Amino acid sequence: MEQPKEVDIYRDTPLRFMGYTNEVGEAFRPLIHKNWVNLSYVAASLYVLADVRDKAVKMKNSLSAVDHSSSSVNKKVFIAGADTLLWQTLASILIPGYTINRLCAGNYYLLKKATKLPKPTRKYITTAVGLLCIPFIVHPIDEFTTYAMDNSVRKWYHKE
């Protein structure tokens, strides 16, 4: 009988959306002060660091039952944490933050050039478009980040 796959609360549950708090901030950028947008990046960064800690602790615990040298354990724990930090930074902060920022900026620009809507209305529409796009970009960005890392940096540090 096959063992059920362990659920990763940071990647396989709705908690994953905590990594996208900065995208919510980016979507609201036209309506709120930039300090609130910056605070949304702090929240997303805390989520990233929580996942890094989770993966490093799990790696350390999985290796503690096996007889390994201290340097080997430390190296594997470091790699697990660094891999998670890179993956989460790309998949939760940089790529989606840039995506939503540019999508909102483009939307606002088009509304300004193509319509005679008042400025407040354009801002609200832009925010709504940004928020509505978030659920649709999570999975593709996660998949792309995994693919890109599997075919680049992970080849370097997973060599035996």
Side-chain angles (χ1 to χ4, degrees):
M1 190 161 154
E2 202 173 309
Q3 285 280 47
K5 183 181 179 251
E6 181 183 344
V7 174
D8 182 344
I9 66 165
Y10 293 97
R11 297 189 191 180
D12 301 329
T13 70
L15 184 60
R16 175 72 186 99
F17 286 103
M18 283 300 297
Y20 280 73
T21 52
N22 59 306
E23 284 65 51
V24 173
E26 287 294 346
F28 275 98
R29 185 180 286 277
L31 297 173
I32 61 176
H33 191 274
K34 77 175 192 170
N35 289 345
W36 289 105
V37 177
N38 294 341
L39 188 60
S40 72
Y41 277 86
V42 171
S45 297
L46 290 173
Y47 161 84
V48 167
L49 293 175
D51 191 25
V52 169
R53 182 185 182 284
D54 177 65
K55 298 307 180 288
V57 167
K58 283 180 179 174
M59 178 60 75
K60 184 172 184 171
N61 291 341
S62 74
L63 295 174
S64 65
V66 182
D67 187 24
H68 282 290
S69 69
S70 178
S71 65
S72 174
V73 169
N74 289 342
K75 180 180 176 183
K76 289 178 180 177
V77 169
F78 175 80
I79 289 172
D83 181 78
T84 303
L85 180 62
L86 179 59
W87 189 92
Q88 285 286 9
T89 299
L90 291 169
S92 297
I93 297 177
L94 296 179
I95 297 171
Y98 181 79
T99 301
I100 295 296
N101 179 285
R102 296 295 78 208
L103 187 117
C104 288
N107 179 77
Y108 187 82
Y109 176 81
L110 289 174
L111 287 174
K112 185 176 180 180
K113 293 295 182 186
T115 71
K116 295 190 185 293
L117 292 170
K119 187 174 183 178
T121 303
R122 292 193 310 261
K123 287 181 175 186
Y124 280 103
I125 291 171
T126 296
T127 296
V129 167
L131 291 173
L132 289 170
C133 288
I134 293 171
F136 298 102
I137 68 170
V138 174
H139 186 70
I141 289 174
D142 286 359
E143 292 295 318
F144 169 76
T145 303
T146 299
Y147 175 82
M149 286 183 62
D150 284 348
N151 290 286
S152 61
V153 295
R154 286 181 176 156
K155 286 185 175 186
W156 297 328
Y157 55 76
H158 282 304
K159 286 183 179 178
E160 291 301 317

